[in-house]
Amino acid sequence: MDIKILADSACDLTADYYNKYDIAFIPLTVRLDDKDYEDVKTIDPKTVYHAMRDGKTPKTSQASAQRFKSIFTSHAEANQPLVYLAFSSQLSGTYQAAKMMEQEVKESYPDAPIHVIDTKCASLGYGLVVLHAAKLAKQGATLQRIVESSKSCALHMEHIFTVDNLEYLYRGGRVSRTAAFVGSLLKIKPILHVEDGKLIPLEKIRGSKKLFHRMLEIMEERGDDLSNQTIAISHGDDFERAEQLASMIKEKFHVKDVIIEMVGSVIGAHSGPGTIALFFLNDTDFDRPA
């Protein structure tokens, strides 16, 4: 029986990927102007970014536990294998909600082939893990192979990113009010990464010209066999700069496959317009799709 891959909307994949690789997804919630929207389904990132530029502060919340219960129950009843790859548990309660529903469903269906995995990844870093699993499923890989290989992919996924305005990270509790104020005055651009699922400040760069060069240096230090892996770049409504970074990566590392997508509504509500994020593997010595 086919193995179904489930993701949530924080993976920042577009409908094209969901359709091509037969990936199911569950939306997180974005609250804007006192109204709740389903990410991807009833709100798009540009709407969120325009609102933020106008001084509004969108809020986000985890995916519905009841929706997980419904999906898990239908797969359990059909005995159809399901692998849900979740947005980092350090950034959202969605994984915990899914685990709770998995345990509840397995009380009635103890042998249900349902697996819930905390990727500890975000945005297109998470998206690359989802695509990895979906490609394996399409190639007819076993459930165990998909689960183990996806965990390895997630473990080795690097997230290197920068934001255009520290104010948004301040609003989300990621930096102090003083750091945001001083950063804006001095034109300091932070470089952050993800460590064990959490957003961690890495360096501060004075001026945007040095920024991409330093991101590429970090990529060179950490990346493994870069020319033979898919690199992803996500952006907060700044496609031009994302393309600029992609060109630099292709020239420096002879990378053939670069995915560029917009940072979605949920993550964008915290990182803000102008965010540029870079995702790649720091180790490619594990079981990957053919």
Side-chain angles (χ1 to χ4, degrees):
M1 188 177 283
D2 288 343
I3 297 167
K4 193 71 177 179
I5 304 300
L6 174 66
D8 60 65
S9 60
C11 70
D12 291 349
L13 295 174
T14 61
D16 290 344
Y17 293 106
Y18 294 127
N19 295 333
K20 182 177 179 180
Y21 295 103
D22 192 28
I23 300 164
F25 92 97
I26 190 165
L28 275 69
T29 300
V30 179
R31 188 168 184 80
L32 183 62
D33 294 331
D34 297 321
K35 185 176 177 183
D36 287 339
Y37 298 90
E38 289 191 323
D39 188 19
V40 178
K41 290 190 172 184
T42 58
I43 194 167
D44 63 82
K46 275 190 175 289
T47 300
V48 172
Y49 292 129
H50 287 323
M52 293 178 83
R53 289 184 180 113
D54 288 340
K56 295 177 182 177
T57 306
K59 304 292 184 185
T60 62
S61 55
Q62 66 194 50
S64 158
Q66 287 308 308
R67 191 169 291 190
F68 280 119
K69 186 176 181 180
S70 174
I71 292 169
F72 293 168
T73 300
S74 65
H75 279 79
E77 289 173 347
N79 199 37
Q80 182 187 19
L82 174 75
V83 179
Y84 168 50
L85 297 155
F87 179 29
S88 173
S89 62
Q90 299 294 325
L91 301 174
S92 168
T94 299
Y95 167 74
Q96 283 87 352
K99 279 303 284 185
M100 191 167 61
M101 291 302 102
E102 177 199 13
Q103 288 161 8
E104 195 170 307
V105 168
K106 284 184 175 178
E107 285 173 9
S108 301
Y109 302 91
D111 297 323
I114 296 168
H115 293 263
V116 176
I117 298 169
D118 180 4
T119 66
K120 296 191 177 176
C121 295
S123 189
L124 279 183
Y126 168 26
L128 286 177
V129 179
V130 172
L131 287 177
H132 174 93
K135 288 174 184 177
L136 284 173
K138 257 192 171 306
Q139 291 171 11
T142 64
L143 182 59
Q144 183 180 356
R145 183 184 171 201
I146 292 170
V147 168
E148 293 307 317
S149 184
S150 297
K151 286 179 179 177
S152 294
C153 185
L155 182 66
H156 295 299
M157 188 62 64
E158 291 280 354
H159 305 56
I160 307 296
F161 67 102
T162 186
V163 295
D164 195 44
N165 190 337
L166 284 161
E167 175 67 23
Y168 301 118
L169 286 179
Y170 162 67
R171 290 180 197 172
R174 301 299 172 192
V175 298
S176 69
R177 167 80 274 181
T178 304
F181 179 70
V182 172
S184 301
L185 278 181
L186 300 178
K187 304 253 186 290
I188 286 172
K189 299 297 183 186
I191 295 179
L192 301 95
H193 69 154
V194 169
E195 195 173 274
D196 196 33
K198 299 175 188 173
L199 303 186
I200 307 290
L202 194 60
E203 296 179 10
K204 294 174 184 174
I205 304 295
R206 180 79 60 85
S208 54
K209 285 186 179 178
K210 300 173 186 173
L211 189 62
F212 283 176
H213 291 291
R214 181 57 191 142
M215 289 175 75
L216 261 65
E217 286 176 357
I218 295 169
M219 189 178 184
E220 187 170 29
E221 290 162 10
R222 298 187 179 188
D224 177 48
D225 195 19
L226 291 167
S227 62
N228 290 313
Q229 57 166 291
T230 299
I231 308 299
I233 297 169
S234 58
H235 63 94
D237 199 19
D238 195 345
F239 183 69
E240 191 176 322
R241 285 179 74 226
E243 272 206 315
Q244 180 191 345
L245 181 59
S247 296
M248 291 170 70
I249 288 168
K250 287 175 182 176
E251 184 179 340
K252 185 174 179 68
F253 302 115
H254 310 292
V255 172
K256 302 173 200 70
D257 193 9
V258 179
I259 293 172
I260 301 177
E261 298 293 348
M262 197 176 290
V263 178
S265 302
V266 167
I267 294 173
H270 300 280
S271 59
T275 299
I276 299 287
L278 173 59
F279 310 95
F280 56 92
L281 291 166
N282 58 32
D283 187 349
T284 55
D285 189 21
F286 63 92
D287 179 28
R288 295 194 286 163

